[in-house]
């Protein structure tokens, strides 16, 4: 059973959306080899669980990865929400109403596209870089030798093609477990999965329906006294998803809960509205639980992402979004480190940054899961007779910036140089998402967006908000940049890209560093980033779009940039010594 042996830089286990996005990034950034395996054949995987909703920040990240346009060609852009009480009367400020406040982004809607169609788009994108999903291939063994140098093939994975029964040994530098809640990676490495599973069960059913629901193509909540806070969502291709709580008293009515029973209960759940299924595409029943891995990595050589790292209900539609946040946070760090362009300690920041948000989601999800089954949260200290639907509405509204992803930020810590402790400038501070501002192209003055002009290609962006007096080659800041051997080294390595924003339109932009753009007429960009047009300023954004540092445009700005990148990045002369960094 020895099988064949092969080498690869990164092996991704699991080809759901999170695994595909992880592999896609590594292939897109280049310079390392990638393989991705999936234990299910695609026909089985297409029917194995289906997430549907991408919230604005996730859509922004996918836009920076060049994937949003294809998603939008197939998705349902849901901009309307509605909630109905048990009498069928519309009630405001309840259910999914927080979606109405998803502003300050062009993706001010829920991008609804069933998981199988998302995966097709991600597989196609991955294929463009010469990487195919290998299936059905299952991970059956993994060993980590943490005494080897960090850039060696110190992880040994044993995999088996379950159709041909062929066994292969793959030695890799990094292994990424994106293989779901029953993760083989997590199990084989004995990483504890802490938390609990409740007795609550939920049903999800997708299909084509006839109904007298007034707004069937909205993100809808129906407050049912028997089936909890019922989910109704218009899907892509004109389909509909209905989800409801399946309590013990409902379950006792069935010897076997099958598709016919799922339809019958769905019809009861949406009363007083009528419902008829013309066709069912998929349905499932599952147990609600919240769990989190005790550690997100093993020796910084194996990493867990998505459901392999944390599980929760679909109540807040956060599962796939959180997993993609994991993947986007981790992908560029592994790419830079393996290519010798960043020190290994950068990998420590993955769990450092992601764990607080996952823990917040776990607690939030536990509360809303109970509320959606008509129970108050376990540690509820308010009025025991409180209306669960009103409590649910307040909790979801309070978490609206978290739900949309637009308010997710990373804390400045002394051991995390990716979130500088530099001073805030205006309303922003390091660790926050960089706002997507409108810009004008030189010459034509066509409008574009900052996110579109700073794609995620695995590099940092140094964005100069030019002072009005520095729009010439004689600008002291730009002159200093040209003289900096440290920064020029990173520019040559393509780990830093410059971009200049000018406060007013001008006929020439040739003296700018990097590509140049103009702010719009009312200088919205300067205002959003707190840059004074008379003084200028510098914003350093990470490859994933979060702000790394904010630096005033003074005489010491170049020196501050050099100090920042001397910690975060390595140059050619340092690559050979990266293990000692």
């Amino acid at each position: 059973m020895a099988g064949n042996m092969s080498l690869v830089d990164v092996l991704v286990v699991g080809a759901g959306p999170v695994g595909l996005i992880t592999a896609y990034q590594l292939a897109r950034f280049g310079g390392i080899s990638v393989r991705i395996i999936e234990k299910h054949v695609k026909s089985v995987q297409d029917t194995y669980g289906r997430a549907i909703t991408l919230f604005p920040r996730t859509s922004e990240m996918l836009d920076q990865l060049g994937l949003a346009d294809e998603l939008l060609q197939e998705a349902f852009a849901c901009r309307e929400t509605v909630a109905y009480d048990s009498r069928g009367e519309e009630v405001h400020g309840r259910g999914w109403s927080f979606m109405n406040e998803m502003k300050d982004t062009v993706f001010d809607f829920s991008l609804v596209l069933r998981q199988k169609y998302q995966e097709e788009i991600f597989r196609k994108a991955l294929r463009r870089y010469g990487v195919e999903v290998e299936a059905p291939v299952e991970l059956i063994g993994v060993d980590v030798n943490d005494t080897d140098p960090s850039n060696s093939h110190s992880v040994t994975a044993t995999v088996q093609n379950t159709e041909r029964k062929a066994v292969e040994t793959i030695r890799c530098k990094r292994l990424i477990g994106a293989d779901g809640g029953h993760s083989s990676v997590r199990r084989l490495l004995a990483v504890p999965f802490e938390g609990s599973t409740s007795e609550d069960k939920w049903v999800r059913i997708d299909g084509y329906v006839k109904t007298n629901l007034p707004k069937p193509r909205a993100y809808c909540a129906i407050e049912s006294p028997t089936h909890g806070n019922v989910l109704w969502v218009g899907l892509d291709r004109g389909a509909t998803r209905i989800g409801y709580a399946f309590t013990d008293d409902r379950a006792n009515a069935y010897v076997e809960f099958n598709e016919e029973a799922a339809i019958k209960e769905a019809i009861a759940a949406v009363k007083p509205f009528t419902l008829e299924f013309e066709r069912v595409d998929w349905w499932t029943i599952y147990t609600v639980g919240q769990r989190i891995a005790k550690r997100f990595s093993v020796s910084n050589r194996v990493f867990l992402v998505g459901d392999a790292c944390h599980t929760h209900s679909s109540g807040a539609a956060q599962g796939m979004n959180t997993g993609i946040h994991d993947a986007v946070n981790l992908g560029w760090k592994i790419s830079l480190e393996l290519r010798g362009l960043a020190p290994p300690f950068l990998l420590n920041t993955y769990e450092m940054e992601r764990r607080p948000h996952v823990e917040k989601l776990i607690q939030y999800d536990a509360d809303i899961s109970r509320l959606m089954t008509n129970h108050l949260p376990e540690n509820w200290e308010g009025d025991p007779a409180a209306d669960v639907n009103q409590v649910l509405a307040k909790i979801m509204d309070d978490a609206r910036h978290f739900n949309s992803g637009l308010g997710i930020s990373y804390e400045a810590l002394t051991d995390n140089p990716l979130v500088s402790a530099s001073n805030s400038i205006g309303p922003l501070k390091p660790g926050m998402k960089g706002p997507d501002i409108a810009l004008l192209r030189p010459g034509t003055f066509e409008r574009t967006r900052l996110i579109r002009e700073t794609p995620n290609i695995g590099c940092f962006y140094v964005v100069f908000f030019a002072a009005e007096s520095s729009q010439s080659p004689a600008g002291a800041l730009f002159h200093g940049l040209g003289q900096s051997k440290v920064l020029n080294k990173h520019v040559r390595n393509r780990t830093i890209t410059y971009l200049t924003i000018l406060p007013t339109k001008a006929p020439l932009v040739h003296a700018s560093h990097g590509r140049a753009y103009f702010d719009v007429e009312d200088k919205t960009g300067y205002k959003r980033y707190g840059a004074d047009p008379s003084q200028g300023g510098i914003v350093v954004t990470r490859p994933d779009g979060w702000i790394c540092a904010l630096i005033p445009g003074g005489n010491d700005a170049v020196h501050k940039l050099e100090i920042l990148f001397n910690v975060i990045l390595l140059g050619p002369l340092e690559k050979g010594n990266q293990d000692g960094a």
Side-chain angles (χ1 to χ4, degrees), residues 78-185:
C78 184
R79 284 187 165 86
E80 186 175 20
T81 71
V82 64
Y84 299 101
D85 64 17
S86 59
R87 299 182 301 275
E89 296 178 359
E90 187 171 337
V91 286
H92 298 284
R94 303 254 273 266
W96 300 89
S97 61
F98 76 86
M99 292 184 182
N100 300 324
E101 303 303 318
M102 298 191 305
K103 308 297 184 185
D104 195 29
T105 174
V106 296
F107 294 97
D108 57 350
F109 55 87
S110 297
L111 192 158
V112 181
L113 182 63
R114 282 170 285 181
Q115 182 171 322
K116 62 175 290 185
Y117 300 115
Q118 294 190 39
E119 288 177 0
E120 288 174 2
I121 290 170
F122 299 154
R123 282 174 180 247
K124 181 181 176 182
L126 187 56
R127 197 173 294 125
R128 289 197 290 267
Y129 291 97
V131 180
E132 291 276 359
V133 175
E134 302 172 43
V137 177
E138 183 175 5
L139 180 75
I140 59 175
V142 61
D143 179 72
V144 181
N145 186 345
D146 56 12
T147 63
D148 285 350
S150 68
N151 62 346
S152 66
H153 294 82
S154 56
V155 181
T156 302
T158 306
V159 304
Q160 181 179 44
N161 184 300
T162 55
E163 287 183 346
R164 302 196 308 269
K165 305 303 179 183
V167 175
E168 179 186 3
T169 299
I170 303 173
R171 294 187 61 195
C172 54
K173 297 178 179 178
R174 303 288 176 265
L175 186 147
I176 300 172
D179 51 342
H182 300 286
S183 170
S184 297
V185 176

Side-chain angles (χ1 to χ4, degrees), residues 16-23 25 51 53-55 58 61-62 65 115 118 122 176-180 296 304-313 317-331 350 354 357-358 361 402 408 410 546:
V18 176
L20 290 168
I21 291 296
T22 303
Q25 290 177 96
T53 305
L54 297 175
F55 285 124
T58 308
M61 292 189 296
L62 294 175
L65 287 168
Q115 182 171 322
Q118 294 190 39
F122 299 154
I176 300 172
D179 51 342
F296 289 11
L304 300 174
V305 291
D307 286 355
C309 191
H310 43 80
T311 59
H312 21 82
S313 79
Q318 289 294 325
M320 182 165 57
N321 289 274
T322 304
I324 292 175
H325 274 256
D326 292 346
V328 173
N329 184 283
L330 179 63
Y350 167 59
R354 293 301 303 148
H357 296 286
V358 171
L361 173 60
F402 178 80
I408 290 176
Y410 299 129
W546 270 265

Side-chain angles (χ1 to χ4, degrees), residues 318-351:
Q318 289 294 325
M320 182 165 57
N321 289 274
T322 304
I324 292 175
H325 274 256
D326 292 346
V328 173
N329 184 283
L330 179 63
W332 61 272
K333 296 173 182 177
I334 286 182
S335 174
L336 288 176
E337 186 263 344
L338 282 184
R339 288 186 287 147
L341 298 172
F345 76 77
L346 212 64
L347 301 178
N348 297 335
T349 66
Y350 167 59
E351 180 169 351

